[in-house]
Amino acid sequence: MSNRSELRELAQEIVDSGFTGVQLRVNDADGEWVGTAGVRELGGTEQPPADGRVRIGSNTKTFTATVMLQLVADGLVDLDGQVAAILPEFGFDPRITVRMLLQHTSGLFNFTGEYYEDGTVAPGMPWQGKEWVEGRFAAHLPEELVRFSLSKPARFEPGTDWSYANTNYVVARLVIEEVTGRPLAEEMRLRILEPLGLADTFMPGDTQVDLPEPHAHAYYRYEEDGSETVVDVTRQNASWISTGGDMVSTTEDLHTFIRALVTGRLLPAPLLAEMCTPESKAHYGLGVFVQETPGGSTVITHNGGIAGHGALMYSTPDGRTTLTAALNYVDDATLSLAVPFQEATQKLVKAVFATESKETEEATESAR
C-alpha cells in the first residue's frame, strides 16, 4: 500500500525536475488514488486534468501485441510462422517470425534511427528538430515506414540478439491487417476497447491531428541561429510513428487495460504466460517488460513517450496493484528530460510497489 503523501511529494518532485505537469493514478489494497501536479499548459496556472487524454507512445505496443496474441489464440496467426509468408511483397528475411516482431529480436532496422553501442548513430526518418516540427502534420503510411527500414542494413541476424525497434510493431500492424482483412484500429476496437469499455482510448489513424479535450499540452524545443524556439506540438499527425507509439488513452483506461491483461481477461493462460516470459538481455516479453522492483517484487510494464507527452503503465502480475501516469513536458533533440524521466519512474515504482513486496513476504511467512 503506497503512502499517499509520498505520492503527492513525488508528483511535485517530477514537476520540479523539469516536467510541465503530471497525472498519477494508483490502485492498490487501499483503493484508488489520483493526483496531479504542475500545469496544463505553459504560462497557465490550471493543473493538468486528473484523467486527461495523452499520447501514450510505446504503450501502443502492448495493445498491439495483445491483439496479435488473440489472433494466435484464434488460430489465425502462427506465433513462430514466417512474416515473409504473410507479407510476401516486402521481401522480409524468411527467418523473421511473428514472435521476433513482438519481442524485438528480428534485427530489423529501427526506422526512427539506430543507436549503436560504440556511440555511432544511423539516422532514421525525421522525428526530431525543426525539420520534424515543421513537418509534423504530414501523413505517412505504415508501408512507407517499413520500406524505409528494409532499405537499411539489418542490425543483426534474426533471432540472435535483442534491440528495440519501432519497425517491429509497424510490421505487426500490417500482419494483423493482412490476416483479418480489417484495419488494426477496427480490430483493436472490437477485441479490446469495446469489451473493456475504454471509451477514451483510440488509434488516431493516418490523418487525425487533434487530441480531444480534456488534455494537457505537449511541447518541443529546438535551436536555430543561436535562438531557442518552443512550439506546442499537442496537435500532430502521429502516423510518423504508427503502431510504434501512436495511440491515445488516459490513466484510467491504462489501469483498466493492464489489469484486465494480467488477470487473464484478454488472453488464454498459456499465451499470457508466453507474453510475460522475457528474453534475457532487456527482460522483454511479447509487448511488455518484466521487471524486478527495488523491493524484489515483479511488475509487468511498458512505458512510452512521444514529443512532449509520456505515459507509464505498471501492474503486479496478479493485477492487485497498478500504477499509471501521464506526463507533459518540453521535448528536444538531446532528450534532456530522459534522465529525470528515468529517475522519476524509478522513485514512483519504488513508492508504489516496494510495500507490495513487503506485504507479499509477510503473507508468505504467515502461511507457513
Side-chain angles (χ1 to χ4, degrees):
M1 291 176 287
S2 48
N3 185 304
R4 294 351 192 183
S5 61
E6 182 181 7
L7 290 173
R8 291 189 187 92
E9 291 171 2
L10 283 173
Q12 187 57 50
E13 188 176 322
I14 292 171
V15 172
D16 293 342
S17 72
F19 289 86
T20 310
V22 59
Q23 309 165 44
L24 293 182
R25 182 178 298 271
V26 172
N27 287 264
D28 59 16
D30 281 343
E32 183 174 70
W33 178 85
V34 180
T36 65
V39 294
R40 180 176 176 270
E41 56 185 316
L42 289 177
T45 58
E46 182 184 353
Q47 286 197 339
D51 197 38
R53 293 181 178 90
V54 61
R55 299 187 188 276
I56 63 173
S58 286
N59 289 290
T60 303
K61 295 179 173 71
T62 310
F63 283 85
T64 303
T66 302
V67 171
M68 184 73 84
L69 291 173
Q70 288 182 342
L71 295 176
V72 171
D74 291 345
L76 296 176
V77 172
D78 178 359
L79 193 53
D80 294 306
Q82 294 182 347
V83 172
I86 302 171
L87 302 171
E89 67 273 25
F90 290 93
F92 286 107
D93 186 318
R95 294 172 293 178
I96 295 176
T97 65
V98 172
R99 183 189 300 274
M100 291 177 190
L101 297 178
L102 301 186
Q103 199 152 42
H104 295 296
T105 55
S106 71
L108 289 169
F109 181 89
N110 188 3
F111 67 83
T112 50
E114 287 285 5
Y115 297 79
Y116 295 95
E117 286 78 1
D118 62 3
T120 59
V121 178
M125 296 187 69
W127 65 282
Q128 293 179 317
K130 182 182 179 182
E131 181 181 7
W132 174 78
V133 170
E134 293 184 341
R136 69 187 184 278
F137 298 116
H140 298 276
L141 294 176
E143 293 86 352
E144 172 191 354
L145 308 179
V146 173
R147 293 193 187 283
F148 175 86
S149 171
L150 292 173
S151 73
K152 304 292 184 178
R155 179 149 185 163
F156 50 78
E157 297 289 307
T160 63
D161 202 349
W162 182 91
S163 184
Y164 194 88
N166 291 304
T167 308
N168 288 310
Y169 276 79
V170 180
V171 178
R173 168 185 175 172
L174 295 179
V175 168
I176 292 169
E177 294 180 341
E178 177 65 26
V179 300
T180 64
R182 286 189 291 265
L184 175 56
E186 178 71 3
E187 205 68 29
M188 188 88 67
R189 181 182 65 81
L190 293 172
R191 291 177 172 271
I192 298 177
L193 306 185
E194 286 188 353
L196 295 182
L198 305 184
D200 294 316
T201 302
F202 62 92
M203 299 186 70
D206 301 328
T207 58
Q208 182 173 343
V209 300
D210 290 308
L211 184 61
E213 293 283 3
H215 61 76
H217 286 246
Y219 300 90
Y220 194 90
R221 172 177 55 225
Y222 65 89
E223 291 189 10
E224 185 179 39
D225 299 327
S227 62
E228 183 179 272
T229 300
V230 175
V231 180
D232 187 326
V233 294
T234 308
R235 297 180 70 251
Q236 60 169 280
N237 187 326
S239 63
W240 65 269
I241 189 67
S242 186
T243 332
D246 64 354
M247 287 182 72
V248 172
S249 190
T250 64
T251 60
E252 183 174 14
D253 275 7
L254 289 178
H255 153 72
T256 301
F257 167 68
I258 190 64
R259 189 176 190 283
L261 178 62
V262 300
T263 56
R265 287 186 60 190
L266 297 175
L267 293 174
L271 283 174
L272 179 59
E274 291 226 42
M275 185 183 215
C276 297
T277 300
E279 49 71 49
S280 60
K281 184 175 182 178
H283 306 291
Y284 198 91
L286 305 179
V288 293
F289 285 96
V290 182
Q291 297 179 346
E292 297 298 313
T293 70
S297 62
T298 299
V299 290
I300 309 301
T301 177
H302 215 304
N303 297 331
I306 172 174
H309 271 155
L312 311 181
M313 182 173 67
Y314 288 87
S315 178
T316 51
D318 61 6
R320 187 173 71 171
T321 300
T322 67
L323 161 67
T324 55
L327 305 167
N328 50 303
Y329 54 97
V330 182
D331 204 355
D332 55 36
T334 64
L335 305 178
S336 58
L337 283 176
V339 172
F341 182 89
Q342 292 298 324
E343 291 176 346
T345 298
Q346 291 168 6
K347 289 180 180 179
L348 283 170
V349 169
K350 183 177 181 181
V352 174
F353 296 102
T355 308
E356 169 76 22
S357 176
K358 181 179 179 181
E359 290 176 348
T360 301
E361 290 176 5
E362 291 174 348
T364 302
E365 287 296 325
S366 64
R368 288 177 178 173

